[in-house]
Amino acid sequence: MVLVSELRRYGLAAISCGLALAVAWPSDAPTSCFFLAVMVSSLYGGKGPGLMSVVLSTLSYDYFFLPPRFRLAIEPSSYVQFAVFLTATLLIVGLVEAKRRVEEPRRQVAASVQRSEYYLAEAERLGHIGSYASNARVNPPEIRYISAEMFRILGFPAGDVPPTTEEAGKVFTAAGPENWPRIMELYETARREKIADGEFPAVLPDGSNRMIHIVAHTVYDAAGGPDEFIGTCVDVTDQHRARTELQKAFDEIRKSENQLRAIINTIPAFAWSARPDGSADFFNQLYLDYTGLSAEQATGRGWTVAVHPDDLNDLADYWRSVLASGEAGEVEARLRRFDGTYRWFLFRTSPLHDESGNIVKWYGINADIEDRKLAQDALRTSERDLSSIIEAIPSLVWCADPDGEVNYLNGRMLEYTGTTSGAWEQFGLTNFLHPDDVEPTARAWSGAIATGETHEIQCRLRRSDGVYRWFQVLGHPARNNEGGVTRWYGLLIDIDDRKNIEEALRNSETRLSRAAQTATLGELSASIAHEINQPLAAALTNSQVCIGWLSAQPPNVAKAIAAGERAVCTVKDAGEVVRRIRALFKGATLENVALDLNEVIGEVLRLIHGEAARRRVEVEADLQAELPSLVGDRVQLQQLIRNLVLNGLEAMDQVMDRPKKLLIRSRRHSPEFVLVEIQDHGVGLKEPDKVFDAFYTTKENGMGMGLAICRSIVEAHHGRLWAASGEDYGAVFCFTLPTRPLGTSL
């Protein structure tokens, strides 16, 4: 910017000289033109451009106008003329420079005054401060001058003529007639004390309400009398409103402080505060009443006299560590009551930070935990007693989390397995189970966790010496108020001796059953032989007689026919004997009652539960809800279902390559009948149509009467029994029973 300015100034000098030459050449009047160019260059360019203009003008004057022309040379006759021209141009530059030096201070003063006036006007505008001057020799004072901002404050249009005192007074009397006497009193005070101020409400010509602060400063004349008031008027409406709101806020804060103080003094805890260095500076009334200390006695480090001597050092060390860390903390200690009794308290403290993160205050509360400490001591005692009881129980006890993770084992459990709690956490129960029991036990435990139902299963657990013993595993869930499982409590009862006794009993029962079957079969065979022996012997005799008569020469046909007829009659007698024996199986009297078939099935499943477990068969029941009731003999239907289920269990004794499962399903077959299906995963049936024939059996020691008896029971209830092979393996036995009586026998 400076370079551009300099180029402009010196460029002006060159242009001025060029124009002067252009004008002087045709008119042959170079002196005045070059003098004008030097004057213009000096006035508007300054001293430097003026001297440049002198040089250019002198050279041009010599070259173009003095002989010899068009040469930079001067003849002796032109020396005087050239010297006069040069002197005149230098004199013009000197006069212009002298004039500038004289006028520059005045110009600067004027510019300074103008800037000051501008700054004052801007300051008044930005600060909403108006200034005025009025005649102090008259009363009321006559307004002589008001600033532009004063016009705006009083609501008058801006102008050069200030409003009269009466016009200005109306602005204040509009807010209340008492305001004008008060303003006059302010000026009287200023006359006496030189300066006075006050705030007055005003209603501006546009109807807006304002609050104006007036300051009057008295200027005295040479005689010492008041000559003029110089003052300011400030629109303090916003400040007045802010002060009003601030006062309201202070009142609310004071009210809140009183309420907070009341709350702090009534909360059921000891509240206190401390300085950043940890010295206490406040305790609520409850704390002081408890300890019997005054506020002066407790502040600083005085509160420590109420701490139990055994807790004081630990509490002091902890307090110092909290101060060093600058973080919240809590600790327990005993405080002495005014009567000398000590009670346990929980000390809690937290720091308050300023915007820079520095701690400015510590706040804390002390909560009475004496009852909780007593309860904790009682609970610990109870836990010790309970632990002693659990350890004394002659069983293996365990506890688990809601997700099934074992978290406690009593000593007997660890002693039995010969391991530690850590080993249990690492390997779990499966490491100690018999290999055949791992999968069903894990499945049953997972199902119990998923459903939240009581867990019960029998399995073999390895003892520390490697021997497996049978245990009854019981798990019961503890629940919260919402019904959710919070913990599992369990017990393992040694049933190995009982299982051995049961096995021995079953073996005895089996041997007795076989003996009974043998005896029954013998008796049945003797009875059947006795019953049919005579008719069969008679038929044989008559047949032999018939053959003899037919062999005679000539054959005696008539007698042969008579003998044959007698043989037929005796065979019919044998058939009648067989019919009566069959009727013996079918003809028992029924005790008919209304039955829930699903309930009968459930009773049978409970009876064969142990047998299924012994054979390691998983029994599943799919029973349709709300089956219609039927009428029948409960004992015979139980025998029917039990025989079919036991047949299914026995059919899977030799199965080793697939899971042993038996499914019993009930459903409504039609509006009049219900259907029961019993499906096993056994070896299946080669001849399903023959299995119900009397004396037909697929068992090594079977009599072939069980399924025949089952069919008799079903038919006696007007139902139907049949069998079929399974889709992949096994067999399915199905029977239907009516939902209402169909004959007189029922």
Side-chain angles (χ1 to χ4, degrees):
M1 292 297 293
V2 175
L3 178 60
V4 173
S5 177
E6 292 295 319
L7 290 175
R8 287 177 179 176
R9 290 170 56 213
Y10 286 96
L12 175 63
I15 293 172
S16 298
C17 291
L19 290 174
L21 178 60
V23 174
W25 180 261
S27 62
D28 199 22
T31 307
S32 58
C33 292
F34 285 119
F35 285 170
L36 180 60
V38 172
M39 186 179 298
V40 170
S41 299
S42 297
L43 284 175
Y44 296 101
K47 182 179 179 181
L51 293 176
M52 177 180 174
S53 179
V54 169
V55 173
L56 294 177
S57 297
T58 303
L59 293 175
S60 299
Y61 182 70
D62 176 34
Y63 187 82
F64 290 104
F65 296 101
L66 293 180
R69 300 181 71 176
F70 306 112
R71 291 179 60 190
L72 290 177
I74 303 174
E75 295 182 356
S77 59
S78 302
Y79 284 167
V80 176
Q81 185 179 357
F82 179 79
V84 171
F85 179 83
L86 179 59
T87 302
T89 55
L90 292 174
L91 182 60
I92 291 172
V93 173
L95 291 175
V96 171
E97 184 64 23
K99 178 179 177 298
R100 179 181 290 108
R101 291 181 179 179
V102 172
E103 291 180 350
E104 183 66 22
R106 286 189 298 174
R107 188 182 63 79
Q108 292 178 354
V109 170
S112 177
V113 171
Q114 186 178 5
R115 284 197 302 271
S116 298
E117 291 178 350
Y118 172 77
Y119 294 155
L120 178 61
E122 281 298 302
E124 289 185 353
R125 184 180 66 81
L126 295 174
H128 303 293
I129 301 173
S131 59
Y132 70 91
S134 60
N135 187 0
R137 296 179 182 277
V138 297
N139 198 15
E142 181 182 11
I143 298 176
R144 294 176 176 174
Y145 161 81
I146 64 173
S147 65
E149 186 64 17
M150 190 72 172
F151 277 102
R152 190 197 64 78
I153 291 174
L154 297 178
F156 294 116
D160 296 332
V161 180
T164 64
T165 303
E166 290 74 14
E167 291 174 339
K170 291 179 180 180
V171 173
F172 296 97
T173 55
E178 72 281 358
N179 289 327
W180 188 248
R182 291 177 55 214
I183 294 174
M184 293 300 100
E185 183 179 351
L186 180 145
Y187 284 112
E188 287 299 324
T189 302
R191 285 188 177 96
R192 294 191 308 270
E193 301 179 4
K194 191 175 181 179
I195 191 169
D197 68 323
E199 291 184 358
F200 304 94
V203 179
L204 304 188
D206 62 1
S208 60
N209 294 291
R210 314 298 293 175
M211 181 65 68
I212 298 176
H213 183 80
I214 299 176
V215 177
H217 185 276
T218 306
V219 178
Y220 298 96
D221 57 16
D227 178 57
E228 191 174 30
F229 292 118
I230 304 297
T232 59
C233 288
V234 184
D235 187 343
V236 294
T237 304
D238 294 339
Q239 294 89 324
H240 181 74
R241 290 174 182 169
R243 283 199 301 272
T244 302
E245 294 298 326
L246 185 60
Q247 186 60 43
K248 290 181 181 179
F250 282 150
D251 294 341
E252 290 296 326
I253 291 174
R254 191 173 296 107
K255 181 179 178 181
S256 299
E257 287 178 347
N258 294 335
Q259 292 176 347
L260 180 61
R261 186 174 293 105
I263 292 172
I264 292 175
N265 286 329
T266 55
I267 58 174
F270 299 164
W272 52 271
S273 64
R275 302 179 186 90
D277 62 357
S279 58
D281 58 2
F282 169 78
F283 292 93
N284 69 341
Q285 193 60 44
L286 189 64
Y287 185 100
L288 300 176
D289 293 342
Y290 176 86
T291 59
L293 300 173
S294 65
E296 292 75 14
Q297 291 173 327
T299 53
R301 307 290 180 180
W303 59 274
T304 58
V305 300
V307 179
H308 194 285
D310 295 342
D311 302 337
L312 183 57
N313 291 335
D314 292 340
L315 180 60
D317 292 341
Y318 184 79
W319 183 225
R320 282 191 292 269
S321 67
V322 168
L323 293 175
S325 66
E327 298 178 353
E330 62 180 40
V331 68
E332 295 177 359
R334 286 165 287 184
L335 280 179
R336 186 188 64 218
R337 200 164 58 189
F338 61 89
D339 59 359
T341 302
Y342 285 94
R343 294 180 64 86
W344 280 99
F345 282 83
L346 177 63
F347 291 64
R348 286 180 174 171
T349 184
S350 181
L352 174 66
H353 299 84
D354 59 15
E355 296 179 352
S356 302
N358 299 318
I359 296 177
V360 296
K361 187 78 77 173
W362 288 90
Y363 291 99
I365 60 171
N366 296 354
D368 190 328
I369 58 171
E370 178 71 17
D371 296 337
R372 190 184 77 181
K373 293 286 285 188
L374 295 176
Q376 289 175 344
D377 292 340
L379 179 61
R380 281 192 290 268
T381 301
S382 177
E383 289 177 345
R384 285 195 299 269
D385 295 342
L386 179 60
S387 178
S388 300
I389 293 173
I390 292 175
E391 293 298 331
I393 292 176
S395 296
L396 312 184
V397 181
W398 56 271
C399 294
D401 296 332
D403 58 358
E405 190 71 24
V406 175
N407 55 29
Y408 171 77
L409 300 167
N410 71 342
R412 290 180 181 270
M413 186 78 155
L414 299 176
E415 181 181 356
Y416 176 86
T417 57
T419 187
T420 62
S421 299
W424 273 88
E425 293 177 0
Q426 182 178 2
F427 301 107
L429 176 64
T430 56
N431 187 52
F432 303 94
L433 287 175
H434 191 281
D436 294 341
D437 298 341
V438 172
E439 192 272 335
T441 302
R443 184 172 63 250
W445 180 226
S446 299
I449 294 173
T451 61
E453 297 178 353
T454 300
H455 172 62
E456 181 176 357
I457 194 171
Q458 294 179 0
C459 62
R460 284 162 290 184
L461 194 65
R462 188 182 69 240
R463 202 166 56 190
S464 58
D465 57 1
V467 176
Y468 286 94
R469 293 183 63 85
W470 280 98
F471 281 85
Q472 182 84 12
V473 182
L474 302 174
H476 185 76
R479 304 181 185 274
N480 54 25
N481 295 333
E482 290 74 24
V485 176
T486 59
R487 179 171 286 191
W488 287 88
Y489 295 98
L491 191 67
L492 276 75
I493 303 174
D494 191 330
I495 60 171
D496 194 73
D497 295 339
R498 189 186 78 185
K499 293 285 286 187
N500 293 334
I501 293 173
E502 290 176 351
E503 183 66 24
L505 181 60
R506 277 193 297 270
N507 293 335
S508 298
E509 289 178 347
T510 301
R511 290 194 297 271
L512 289 174
S513 175
R514 289 177 179 174
Q517 289 176 3
T518 302
T520 301
L521 180 60
E523 293 175 0
L524 181 61
S525 300
S527 175
I528 293 173
H530 177 74
E531 291 289 336
I532 67 174
N533 185 49
Q534 290 180 350
L536 290 178
L540 177 61
T541 301
N542 287 321
S543 297
Q544 290 173 346
V545 170
C546 179
I547 293 172
W549 288 119
L550 290 175
S551 300
Q553 295 296 331
N556 191 337
V557 176
K559 291 184 179 181
I561 293 173
E565 289 176 347
R566 288 194 300 273
V568 170
C569 289
T570 55
V571 170
K572 287 182 178 180
D573 291 340
E576 182 63 21
V577 170
V578 173
R579 186 190 66 77
R580 289 201 309 271
I581 293 172
R582 185 171 182 269
L584 178 64
F585 289 105
K586 297 175 59 178
T589 302
L590 301 178
E591 296 181 2
N592 298 318
V593 294
L595 296 174
D596 181 348
L597 187 57
N598 285 342
E599 183 178 324
V600 174
I601 294 173
E603 293 169 352
V604 173
L605 293 180
R606 285 191 291 273
L607 290 173
I608 60 92
H609 174 73
E611 184 68 15
R614 185 181 68 83
R615 297 175 183 268
R616 310 197 64 76
V617 176
E618 181 182 354
V619 179
E620 296 180 4
D622 180 13
L623 308 180
Q624 180 179 334
E626 299 179 357
L627 277 179
S629 61
L630 52 86
V631 176
D633 189 309
R634 177 183 291 272
V635 175
Q636 287 200 3
L637 292 180
Q638 286 178 344
Q639 180 183 1
L640 164 67
I641 297 171
R642 182 175 181 273
N643 283 345
L644 295 178
V645 171
L646 288 176
N647 280 345
L649 297 179
E650 292 171 355
M652 291 183 282
D653 283 344
Q654 304 303 319
V655 173
M656 302 297 292
D657 58 345
R658 57 182 175 270
K660 297 181 180 181
K661 291 186 178 180
L662 186 139
L663 171 65
I664 181 167
R665 180 188 296 113
S666 69
R667 58 186 174 88
R668 190 160 188 162
H669 185 59
S670 68
E672 295 81 20
F673 286 88
V674 295
L675 171 67
V676 176
E677 298 177 353
I678 300 173
Q679 180 180 0
D680 62 67
H681 286 186
V683 296
L685 299 173
K686 295 181 179 179
E687 299 175 300
D689 297 331
K690 294 184 178 182
V691 294
F692 300 103
D693 294 342
F695 304 109
Y696 178 87
T697 180
T698 59
K699 302 177 184 177
E700 181 179 348
N701 298 316
M703 293 177 60
M705 297 299 295
L707 291 178
I709 294 173
C710 289
R711 171 172 280 181
S712 299
I713 293 174
V714 172
E715 291 176 351
H717 286 79
H718 303 284
R720 176 171 170 260
L721 172 65
W722 70 95
S725 296
E727 293 182 358
D728 298 323
Y729 37 73
V732 182
F733 287 82
C734 306
F735 65 89
T736 58
L737 295 174
T739 58
R740 59 177 180 270
L742 298 178
T744 57
S745 64
L746 287 174

